[in-house]
Amino acid sequence: MSKTRIVVIGAGFGGLAVALGLRQARDVELTIVDKQNHHLFQPLLYQVATAALSPAEIAAPIRTILRGQRNARVFLDEVIGVDTGAKRVRLKSGVGLDYDRLVIATGARHSYFGHDDWAEFAPGIKTIDDATRVRAQVLSALERAETERQQMPETRGRQLSFVVIGGGPTGVEMAGAIAELTRHATEMEFRYITGACVRVLLVEAGPRLLAAFPEALSAKAKASLEQLGVEVRLGAPVTAIDATSVTVAGARVPVAATIWAAGVQASPAASWLGVIGDRAGRVPVGPDLTVPGLPDVYVIGDTAAVTGADGKPVPGVAPAAKQQGQYVARAIRARGAGRAITTPFAYKNYGNLATIGRQRAVADFGWTTLSGFAAWFVWSTAHLYYLTDFRSRLIVGAQWVWSYFTFDRGARLITGIDGEMPKLGWSPPVKRAA
């Protein structure tokens, strides 16, 4: 009896859920393709960028996760196209993978709304490399300010400005984490700069932060950020970004580093399949998560435009991708047994969470809301639960407990810059006449 060939593109939350859901399927030959060799817990990537965690604490090799799954093999490669007629996936290496069922779970990348030239100066955070680059920028800015003592304090203060663009959960979490990192570091370990020198600015073009949350929680998030010293600007679109500044609502703001958290664009899966994507490039799918006209192609996670039972779009969050992956695994097993799943995919929203910093968070469960320490505790517990394995949960939990009591961030390493500080738009120290 021939086995059903399943190809899964992407080993994020959705793709990995499909693979793990098929671990007992003996009639399946499973191939997972990813251009990275690791599964990454993206919701905590901002903590790598702000030195709270190390990359290995939120990532695990895909082969390690699937090492006990005998029906699975892993290809470290990049997909460049899909021939739906021949049912073949084309890889950058030149290899072609034939499939009976295809699952596309390639996630999303940053969207700069037509200003792709901003990417060089305002990195987003989607990969470990992104996070370590931002970490190097932030930490190098502190080091330069400490070293360049000849500058006037007010000048140094302007140069120690960090701008986060985007008021969604990622932007809010990033701004709060940078504020805590820079202020505690300057107060405890630096001698010539203080917390008063540091400026953290969160910019949102819309009328409020956390637009998906109730207005009351948005207001509490804004108040919590301001308590940390973050300047919040609402209704302030960004019109220009370069190496030394950000122009917000017509005003130029000198910066040491800019972080982008304002938008995402789906992977090129729509062009692979020859279908028209939505405004964000996502592939429209039916209730069973297959592409209309392509019953053997499933698209899930941030790559898919999924409509829930309530008629609203399913959010691009980790729990949704994981639930979609589990649904697709059940559908594939059922089809292998000669049955069909008639129940459409239904997303179970267990709540929206966003943390602002130490003991500060907001949570919306629909039937009730939380803020402050209670929401922060729920956020911490939920994120530990969703980590891939017990080792990661143990290490991350221990790191959080240690940081909570000591304010210490043990991952403050400047790496990947070949011994030179990143160019952050700094001017040389002013030489004074004798």
Side-chain angles (χ1 to χ4, degrees):
M1 177 180 176
S2 62
K3 294 185 177 181
T4 302
R5 297 165 300 180
I6 310 296
V7 175
V8 177
I9 307 174
F13 287 102
L16 200 58
V18 175
L20 293 175
L22 295 173
R23 60 185 176 273
Q24 301 298 331
R26 296 183 179 181
D27 59 340
V28 161
E29 180 183 276
L30 177 64
T31 303
I32 300 94
V33 183
D34 200 297
K35 59 183 178 181
Q36 304 289 345
N37 80 326
H38 53 268
H39 167 76
L40 177 64
F41 191 80
Q42 281 193 348
L44 291 180
L45 199 53
Y46 82 96
Q47 293 209 359
V48 174
T50 53
L53 296 172
S54 293
E57 293 165 358
I58 64 166
I62 301 168
R63 294 184 185 278
T64 300
I65 297 171
L66 300 176
R67 61 188 171 191
Q69 190 164 329
R70 305 309 301 174
N71 66 349
R73 60 178 180 170
V74 178
F75 276 28
L76 180 63
D77 212 326
E78 184 175 354
V79 174
I80 59 173
V82 175
D83 185 340
T84 55
K87 289 191 173 183
R88 171 169 290 192
V89 176
R90 299 194 304 273
L91 305 182
K92 191 174 183 179
S93 64
V95 174
L97 295 175
D98 296 324
Y99 67 84
D100 297 305
R101 310 275 187 270
L102 175 64
V103 183
I104 301 178
T106 43
R109 61 190 190 277
H110 309 300
S111 172
Y112 290 88
F113 308 114
H115 297 277
D116 291 344
D117 54 308
W118 291 356
E120 179 183 357
F121 312 115
I125 304 177
K126 284 293 184 182
T127 68
I128 287 175
D129 288 341
D130 293 335
T132 53
R133 177 187 173 191
V134 168
R135 182 179 68 185
Q137 286 185 319
V138 174
L139 297 179
S140 295
L142 297 178
E143 296 294 341
R144 282 186 181 275
E146 178 80 353
T147 303
E148 297 177 355
R149 296 174 53 191
Q150 293 177 332
Q151 290 181 310
M152 295 296 290
E154 61 270 18
T155 303
R156 190 168 52 198
R158 285 197 302 271
Q159 291 174 328
L160 273 177
S161 295
F162 304 94
V163 176
V164 179
I165 302 171
T170 300
V172 167
E173 292 170 352
M174 192 72 196
I178 292 176
E180 289 192 328
L181 165 65
T182 53
R183 282 171 172 77
H184 289 310
T186 55
E187 291 172 4
M188 298 173 66
E189 298 183 6
F190 288 78
R191 300 295 176 262
Y192 301 108
I193 55 176
T194 67
C197 300
V198 179
R199 181 187 187 192
V200 181
L201 178 63
L202 176 60
V203 179
E204 166 57 39
R208 64 186 179 96
L209 302 177
L210 301 175
F213 287 69
E215 288 192 26
L217 291 185
S218 296
K220 289 181 179 180
K222 180 174 181 291
S224 294
L225 285 168
E226 291 172 339
Q227 289 171 6
L228 287 172
V230 177
E231 298 178 39
V232 180
R233 291 195 186 181
L234 302 176
V238 172
T239 55
I241 304 175
D242 58 36
T244 62
S245 67
V246 175
T247 302
V248 182
R252 183 177 178 273
V253 180
V255 297
T258 305
I259 296 94
W260 185 264
V264 294
Q265 179 77 15
S267 73
S271 63
W272 295 345
L273 300 174
V275 301
I276 299 175
D278 67 2
R279 291 174 57 186
R282 295 172 300 186
V283 177
V285 297
D288 62 351
L289 303 182
T290 62
V291 180
L294 298 172
D296 295 321
V297 179
Y298 298 87
V299 182
I300 60 176
D302 289 342
T303 318
V306 185
T307 302
D310 57 0
K312 297 180 180 179
V314 174
V317 294
K322 193 169 183 177
Q323 290 178 33
Q324 289 167 17
Q326 293 166 344
Y327 175 91
V328 168
R330 292 196 300 271
I332 290 174
R333 292 199 308 268
R335 291 177 68 171
R339 297 179 288 105
I341 289 186
T342 57
T343 305
F345 170 75
Y347 171 54
K348 296 179 181 179
N349 187 354
Y350 296 107
N352 294 324
L353 305 169
T355 183
I356 297 104
R358 178 186 172 89
Q359 298 187 35
R360 295 177 173 92
V362 292
D364 174 27
F365 299 106
W367 53 276
T368 190
T369 60
L370 295 174
S371 61
F373 178 83
W376 177 78
F377 181 80
V378 172
W379 178 93
S380 301
T381 303
H383 281 67
L384 286 176
Y385 171 78
Y386 275 104
L387 281 167
T388 307
D389 54 31
F390 176 76
R391 173 184 173 276
S392 297
R393 297 185 191 109
L394 181 64
I395 293 175
V396 171
Q399 287 279 22
W400 284 350
V401 171
W402 177 260
S403 297
Y404 181 85
F405 288 105
T406 66
F407 293 91
D408 182 38
R409 291 175 180 249
R412 290 216 311 272
L413 306 177
I414 300 174
T415 59
I417 56 176
D418 298 327
E420 296 182 4
M421 294 288 191
K423 293 178 174 61
L424 304 177
W426 288 84
S427 58
V430 176
K431 293 184 178 180
R432 305 183 190 277

